[in-house]
Amino acid sequence: MNYYTLGNTGLKVSRLALGTMTFGDDWGWGADEANARQLFNTYLEAGGNFIDTADLYTNGNSERMLGKFVKESGSRDRVIITTKFSYNAEPGNPNAGGNGRKNILRAVEGSLERLGTDYIDLYMLHTWDQVTPAAEVMRTLDDLVRSGKVRHVAMSDAPAWYVAQAQTLASERHWEPISTVQLEYSLAERNIEFEYTALAPNLGTSLMVWSPLASGLLSGKYKPSESGGEGSGRLAMLADSGNPAFDKFTERNWAIVAELEAVAKDLDRSMAQVALNWVTHRPGVASVIIGATKLHQLQDNLGALDFELPAALQQRLDAVSRPVPRFPYTFFEPGLQGMIHGGATVGDKPSAYQQPVLVHGAAERITV
């Protein structure tokens, strides 16, 4: 397992993070405690150290199980625990959710108790609440870092302008900066490329990917060559839930799945491994969350970095999944940019401009 430093920090995390939203079957799907423990142990044995959860995952049982497994394995100093706040578990109480100071301070205490630890390695805003000023969020998170209850801070599912504002405030006011931005990213969902892949290196942060298999669409469970646009499982069950993250059955996505199946066959690799390999090597990506309910799924996912995706095959996947630019991004396409620069080619600086980082315990130099 290779490790990258997370954003502009010294925190070293594994390229593949373990997602624990599946720890517990409170939501009608997921892994019971015995299976979840097996997944946790297998991930640690493979060299993984980055584990993602949230206060409301499986009604808090994800955090409870994770805390129990960490204690049983004696791995607290080794693992990097990420948990999140934002969502409300008390209907009718508006301050039991959201990103205001009152809820953040309430939520962190609950997570610490459920996890059975006295500090959280990476504390993350789960979703933008459209209400709380970025300054309030960042000052509160900085207070938690200064108190020792939190080591690093992050954001998930927030607009690029809000992340940029928060990071700029942190820099100007000497608060703890955002070390990573967690976002959905996969062959089936590439819209973050319009803003966030440029935001990350320019503002000293990184990208952490959730749903790299598009909620299972790219896992190999759905194969157009065998079953067309049919399938079962969580995606089919949640397709009409109102959550856009599960709205994946589209004509465009079936074309992506078909090409992914063909590329995987050419490589003699699983569809999941190819999809994970593709997203892990995208610009700005520090770590990719893999989740599973069964051991064989996790074992397969852990092999996603054991091969190199040939350029020709990568180009096929890039082409079939390329997102359609909309205003104002159409103005940033090569045609119109050529009009600005007089037809001259103006590109990025060569990679030698970037500072390589020696990651302790790894046998290679990497560029973050």
Side-chain angles (χ1 to χ4, degrees):
M1 185 78 71
N2 291 329
Y3 305 87
Y4 271 20
T5 50
L6 191 65
N8 194 22
T9 75
L11 186 66
K12 304 168 211 35
V13 300
S14 47
R15 299 300 314 282
L16 298 176
L18 179 65
T20 66
M21 189 171 70
T22 58
F23 281 18
D25 51 11
D26 304 62
W27 292 347
W29 48 267
D32 60 22
E33 185 169 326
N35 287 331
R37 181 183 284 104
Q38 192 174 35
L39 295 171
F40 173 85
N41 290 337
T42 299
Y43 175 73
L44 257 60
E45 289 167 5
N49 75 343
F50 201 14
I51 305 176
D52 180 88
T53 186
D55 54 1
L56 257 65
Y57 284 171
T58 56
N59 302 321
N61 285 325
S62 173
E63 285 186 331
R64 293 187 187 94
M65 283 189 191
L66 177 57
K68 183 176 183 180
F69 301 159
V70 169
K71 182 178 181 180
E72 290 176 349
S73 61
S75 59
R76 185 64 191 95
D77 285 342
R78 173 185 170 187
V79 298
I80 309 301
I81 295 178
T82 301
T83 194
K84 315 179 195 76
F85 63 89
S86 288
Y87 287 92
N88 195 315
E90 299 179 25
N93 180 2
N95 288 307
N99 303 324
R101 174 179 287 261
K102 182 176 177 66
N103 183 57
I104 294 175
L105 297 179
R106 179 204 63 82
V108 73
E109 297 299 337
S111 288
L112 289 169
E113 181 179 357
R114 287 185 292 273
L115 288 164
T117 184
D118 56 3
Y119 72 96
I120 294 166
D121 296 286
L122 183 66
Y123 201 41
M124 184 177 295
L125 180 152
H126 203 158
T127 302
W128 182 47
D129 66 3
Q130 303 187 59
V131 175
T132 310
E136 181 176 341
V137 173
M138 296 308 293
R139 172 59 193 271
T140 306
L141 292 176
D142 184 70
D143 287 345
L144 289 176
V145 171
R146 293 173 187 270
S147 74
K149 294 181 179 181
V150 169
R151 298 293 189 257
H152 298 275
V153 305
M155 283 194 178
S156 172
D157 303 337
W161 70 262
Y162 189 84
V163 176
Q165 184 183 67
Q167 189 74 323
T168 301
L169 285 167
S171 175
E172 292 300 314
R173 300 181 183 182
H174 306 289
W175 296 336
E176 182 67 23
I178 298 168
S179 59
T180 194
V181 185
Q182 190 179 113
L183 299 159
E184 182 178 5
Y185 194 20
S186 72
L187 281 164
E189 178 48 77
R190 293 179 56 182
N191 286 310
I192 71 168
E193 293 176 12
F194 293 120
E195 292 280 0
Y196 297 90
T197 52
L199 179 152
N202 281 289
L203 290 180
T205 187
S206 62
L207 302 177
M208 185 178 178
V209 174
W210 64 264
S211 197
L213 298 181
S215 300
L217 182 74
L218 310 176
S219 67
K221 185 183 299 183
Y222 305 93
K223 295 183 177 180
S225 66
E226 299 176 5
S227 57
E230 300 294 332
S232 59
R234 182 174 55 156
L235 256 188
M237 181 174 67
L238 298 174
D240 298 320
S241 66
N243 186 335
F246 300 114
D247 186 16
K248 294 294 192 288
F249 293 157
T250 66
E251 184 177 344
R252 171 184 176 274
N253 283 352
W254 289 125
I256 293 170
V257 173
E259 190 65 51
L260 174 62
E261 183 182 6
V263 168
K265 185 176 181 180
D266 288 347
L267 289 170
D268 193 26
R269 289 281 180 169
S270 72
M271 291 170 63
Q273 287 179 341
V274 174
L276 288 169
N277 187 289
W278 179 89
V279 77
T280 303
H281 290 94
R282 301 301 290 177
V285 173
S287 191
V288 174
I289 300 173
I290 54 176
T293 57
K294 298 179 177 62
L295 181 60
H296 72 87
Q297 295 170 333
L298 178 62
Q299 291 170 329
D300 180 72
N301 289 352
L302 288 171
L305 303 183
D306 294 342
F307 65 98
E308 183 175 342
L309 189 60
L313 297 183
Q314 178 177 318
Q315 288 168 6
R316 284 166 54 182
L317 294 174
D318 289 350
V320 73
S321 64
R322 183 168 290 114
V324 178
R326 295 179 173 83
F327 179 83
Y329 306 107
T330 47
F331 279 82
F332 313 144
E333 292 290 290
L336 284 173
Q337 287 292 299
M339 294 171 62
I340 294 172
H341 300 294
T345 300
V346 181
D348 293 333
K349 295 181 179 70
S351 59
Y353 274 75
Q354 294 178 307
Q355 179 66 37
V357 177
L358 179 62
V359 176
H360 305 291
E364 59 180 310
R365 295 177 75 86
I366 60 172
T367 299
V368 178

